[in-house]
Amino acid sequence: MRSSQPTQTTTVQRTTPMKDLLLRVARQTGLADIQKLSQFFEQYDGTQRLDEALLNCPHFTEDVTLRLLAAALGWPYLSEIPPEAVPKEFVESVPATYAQHHFLIGVRTEALPSDYGDSDRQLAVVLSKPLDVALLDNIAKMTGLSVRPAVATRAVITAAIDMAYEQRSTVIEEVAEELDGQNLDQLVEEVGASDDLLDVVNRPPVIRLVNDILFRALQLRASDVHVHPYENKVQIRYRIDGILYDVLSLNRNILPLVVSRIKVMAGMDIAERRLPQDGRCSVRLGQREVDLRVSTVPTSYGERAVLRLLDKSTGLLKLEELGLWEDDLKTLDSLLERSHGVIFVTGPTGSGKSTSLYAYLSRLNCSEKNIITIEDPIEYQLEGISQIQVATKKGMTFATALRHVLRQDPDVIMVGEVRDVETARMAIQSSLTGHLVFSTLHTNDAAGAVTRLLDLGVEPYLVSSSLIAVIAQRLVRKVCEYCRTEVEVNPRDLQALGMDPRQVGKDARFSIGKGCEKCFHTGYRGRTGIYEVMLITEKIQDLIYRRESAGKIKKYALEAGMKTLRMDGARKVLAGITTVAEVLRVSQADVV
């Protein structure tokens, strides 16, 4: 067996009692209060290992305790561990769950301070409990490397574990080939549950394959994973920043394995392959919690699965982070201060409506207000807000839920979507009885929301008297910060955006991304919103009451100072946030 500790340290431990050693080090270094340390040793009965007892002592922080122990043992103390310091041999040999459970990580000895020497050892094992030396022998056996000890806090080690295991390269193709050579009859035994996507050591191939597909999706910031069967292959596609990319082709025979594994994770019936199914589950990526919403449908070439990834660690966006210009932000803040009325957010699926609504509710959330939401589904949990899940099969529709919510004395109500006249009428009537109501509609622009409500059958007087604003929005991809470069302005691009080239100036420059690894070679990384905020003025109320067309309403709103989606996008192009192609892709020309 390889030696796991420096010989000099072991000799010191044998010749000097740890108590005297720690007291002497504390006196010399001033790391810990001598009096409190002496009191600790007077009460220490030896039933707990010394390092654990010290770490549990309320008089000393974890940082102080570990610095003291490291100095006494002559071991390096690391206040940070860069991801590149963790060797791939450690990541490939030691399961993530083992490292997480024991709070340990391996680093290259070159990453240690130079004054500690001992460069002949190949690996330093960083511990959060320095006296648990058996772990050193275990890591030496797992990796086959000669090891030496080091010390760091649990927070530092946990961060290093997550970064190191997230950066490991996925070997989806190799796992897929391994599956091809296996007996597919062993399916049921292989699709059992797995806890952590980082834990791939000694897992059956089907679990490793699905874990790696999800793992790579999270690495690439994908919002959805598509498992799309064709006649001769299975295509894995990721939606990144709103655009679908083909990332992997698998053998056609693997489809039943992959779909069954996904169904088991989501608590669905793996025997039912002829009917659509929905499910949900949570997986972990180290310390990150990721929710999965799963949908399967039968197709002519087999079952197709789509997984929506909701990363809880990213958190909800604040109002200031939505991409609103200062003038729109002030307008929206004034709307949120209103005590009653209806605010509609409009746009197609995937335009960020739910994210915006959550940001509005977070701004309003306080102990003085009773906020209740009706959603289908609940995407994120909002602390301090009561959220109701629609269950249409059980008779809990948006309209019936809203009827009951009104008896709960709410101040603010959010209705996930207005789909029928009953829900629309109830939402509007709720605002007339003194509630601030938020909801969404699927229309192309802000003015179109008015005609949609009238087409549904809501009376014009109800719409004109309750509606206070309509906010249309789209998401555009942002230019990648890592490969951004400036290019000359093309006058035809400006004209396409509805801008006069003479007003922009000859020195104006546009920003584009050249494409790099950080942005998946697309030139874009992340998204932001473009907005059309239409306030319902007295004049617009009159137009609604007279059932005027959306075109006339939009024309007056523009005269009153409203910026359209295309105009807001043009502002963001000139600011270097996005590109002309992106704005043209998601918005329509302004025709009034």
Side-chain angles (χ1 to χ4, degrees):
M1 184 190 299
R2 293 172 174 79
S3 172
S4 59
Q5 297 182 66
T7 308
Q8 184 181 1
T9 301
T10 307
T11 306
V12 171
Q13 277 188 266
R14 288 172 180 168
T15 56
T16 310
M18 184 58 78
K19 170 186 172 181
D20 296 339
L21 187 57
L22 288 172
L23 287 169
R24 187 168 74 242
V25 169
R27 194 173 293 109
Q28 292 171 348
T29 62
L31 283 170
D33 187 297
I34 295 293
Q35 186 176 356
K36 289 181 179 177
L37 190 59
S38 300
Q39 290 175 353
F40 165 80
F41 279 117
E42 288 173 6
Q43 298 170 357
Y44 176 59
D45 56 8
T47 55
Q48 224 179 353
R49 204 174 61 229
L50 181 58
D51 56 346
E52 292 181 334
L54 271 169
L55 287 166
N56 291 330
C57 180
H59 298 305
F60 310 107
T61 65
E62 182 187 20
D63 181 67
V64 166
T65 299
L66 292 177
R67 284 181 184 275
L68 186 66
L69 286 165
L73 295 166
W75 296 354
Y77 178 84
L78 306 181
S79 55
E80 62 177 355
I81 302 173
E84 61 273 13
V86 182
K88 67 175 183 178
E89 293 89 350
F90 181 88
V91 175
E92 292 171 356
S93 305
V94 180
T97 47
Y98 186 88
Q100 290 164 341
H101 179 72
H102 294 288
F103 291 102
L104 59 83
I105 189 72
V107 300
R108 295 185 180 87
T109 49
E110 307 93 78
L112 299 180
S114 56
D115 55 335
Y116 282 97
D118 205 17
S119 58
D120 59 316
R121 296 176 185 273
Q122 298 169 279
L123 182 72
V125 180
V126 188
L127 304 170
S128 62
K129 293 182 179 177
L131 301 185
D132 194 356
V133 291
L135 294 173
L136 299 171
D137 288 332
N138 292 342
I139 299 301
K141 291 174 184 175
M142 288 181 188
T143 60
L145 300 175
S146 177
V147 304
R148 62 161 301 178
V151 181
T153 63
R154 286 182 297 176
V156 169
I157 292 172
T158 298
I161 290 171
D162 288 354
M163 290 294 291
Y165 281 84
E166 282 186 39
Q167 289 185 1
R168 66 174 168 81
S169 59
T170 54
V171 285
I172 298 178
E173 294 84 354
E174 294 177 18
V175 179
E177 289 176 10
E178 187 180 342
L179 270 172
D180 284 344
Q182 288 215 337
N183 180 5
L184 301 189
D185 293 335
Q186 296 175 348
L187 169 66
V188 178
E189 288 77 17
E190 291 210 333
V191 295
S194 175
D195 296 322
D196 195 333
L197 297 183
L198 299 179
D199 183 19
V200 294
V201 179
N202 298 324
R203 288 287 180 181
V206 63
I207 292 179
R208 285 162 49 206
L209 176 64
V210 174
N211 279 11
D212 274 351
I213 289 171
L214 294 174
F215 177 79
R216 185 181 287 185
L218 289 166
Q219 278 184 317
L220 296 173
R221 303 175 294 103
S223 60
D224 301 83
V225 177
H226 292 236
V227 181
H228 192 163
Y230 290 84
E231 185 177 4
N232 299 314
K233 65 178 180 179
V234 177
Q235 190 71 48
I236 305 298
R237 312 171 82 192
Y238 294 160
R239 188 176 295 279
I240 302 169
D241 292 334
I243 306 295
L244 269 175
Y245 297 96
D246 291 342
V247 293
L248 180 68
S249 291
L250 300 175
N251 190 303
R252 177 75 178 75
N253 297 332
I254 293 176
L255 179 66
L257 280 171
V258 173
V259 173
S260 294
R261 167 62 186 154
I262 291 169
K263 284 182 175 181
V264 167
M265 291 173 67
M268 297 152 70
D269 184 0
I270 64 171
E272 180 55 75
R273 299 180 182 178
R274 296 170 298 175
L275 296 175
Q277 292 190 66
D278 294 314
R280 63 188 307 158
C281 64
S282 293
V283 295
R284 282 189 299 109
L285 184 65
Q287 299 301 306
R288 288 163 61 188
E289 191 83 17
V290 181
D291 277 347
L292 302 181
R293 287 213 314 267
V294 182
S295 171
T296 63
V297 294
T299 71
S300 56
Y301 295 122
E303 283 188 284
R304 174 177 178 154
V306 175
L307 298 86
R308 168 65 57 90
L309 310 179
L310 299 171
D311 190 348
K312 293 180 179 179
S313 67
T314 57
L316 297 169
L317 295 181
K318 296 178 181 177
L319 201 60
E320 297 81 6
E321 299 171 329
L322 295 179
L324 289 155
W325 286 106
E326 195 65 32
D327 52 347
D328 288 336
L329 196 57
K330 289 179 180 177
T331 300
L332 200 52
D333 258 332
S334 66
L335 289 172
L336 296 179
E337 291 173 0
R338 301 279 285 269
S339 60
H340 62 277
V342 180
I343 299 174
F344 277 106
V345 180
T346 77
T349 302
S351 59
K353 299 188 297 295
S354 296
T355 301
S356 293
L357 286 173
Y358 282 135
Y360 304 161
L361 295 180
S362 297
R363 174 64 68 94
L364 288 168
N365 192 9
C366 62
S367 58
E368 289 84 17
K369 289 184 177 173
N370 179 21
I371 303 175
I372 302 179
T373 72
I374 307 166
E375 303 175 58
D376 183 25
I378 297 171
E379 292 189 15
Y380 290 97
Q381 296 291 338
L382 296 169
E383 189 174 349
I385 292 176
S386 300
Q387 297 171 264
I388 299 171
Q389 170 73 54
V390 169
T392 308
K393 292 180 181 177
K394 297 179 181 177
M396 174 74 89
T397 63
F398 279 111
T400 55
L402 185 53
R403 191 175 292 113
H404 290 285
V405 161
L406 291 172
R407 299 173 191 151
Q408 293 287 316
D409 186 30
D411 296 296
V412 179
I413 304 169
M414 191 266 272
V415 181
E417 186 181 346
V418 167
R419 297 173 180 169
D420 52 52
V421 64
E422 186 183 7
T423 309
R425 195 174 280 135
M426 283 204 64
I428 286 171
Q429 287 174 343
S430 301
S431 72
L432 295 174
T433 55
H435 304 95
L436 184 60
V437 181
F438 296 93
S439 192
T440 67
L441 279 170
H442 291 284
T443 60
N444 290 328
D445 58 9
V450 174
T451 53
R452 174 63 55 84
L453 289 169
L454 299 179
D455 290 344
L456 281 173
V458 183
E459 292 77 3
Y461 75 90
L462 284 177
V463 178
S464 64
S465 59
S466 63
L467 197 60
I468 58 175
V470 182
I471 304 164
Q473 66 178 70
R474 301 289 189 277
L475 292 177
V476 292
R477 293 181 291 172
K478 295 195 293 186
V479 176
C480 176
E481 292 292 333
Y482 298 94
C483 60
R484 170 192 296 273
T485 186
E486 290 189 344
V487 295
E488 291 185 5
V489 173
N490 186 329
R492 283 179 296 181
D493 288 340
L494 290 174
Q495 289 171 350
L497 288 174
M499 302 178 69
D500 187 343
R502 291 171 296 181
Q503 295 177 334
V504 175
K506 294 181 179 179
D507 298 330
R509 308 280 286 178
F510 284 172
S511 294
I512 63 167
K514 293 186 293 184
C516 62
E517 289 186 4
K518 294 278 188 181
C519 63
F520 201 46
H521 297 285
T522 61
Y524 300 99
R525 183 178 171 87
R527 289 189 288 177
T528 190
I530 58 174
Y531 299 91
E532 181 177 297
V533 182
M534 186 177 81
L535 298 177
I536 308 301
T537 61
E538 287 187 16
K539 175 65 176 176
I540 293 179
Q541 283 180 331
D542 183 52
L543 293 174
I544 294 171
Y545 189 76
R546 291 191 277 125
R547 285 184 177 268
E548 294 288 0
S549 67
K552 280 194 174 181
I553 293 172
K554 183 174 183 177
K555 183 178 180 181
Y556 183 82
L558 285 169
E559 291 173 359
M562 182 185 81
K563 296 284 191 298
T564 65
L565 290 167
R566 182 66 61 91
M567 292 175 183
D568 193 42
R571 287 197 287 181
K572 288 183 167 66
V573 169
L574 292 174
I577 297 170
T578 186
T579 64
V580 173
E582 272 298 285
V583 175
L584 296 179
R585 179 177 67 86
V586 303
S587 64
Q588 296 178 332
D590 294 325
V591 179
V592 180

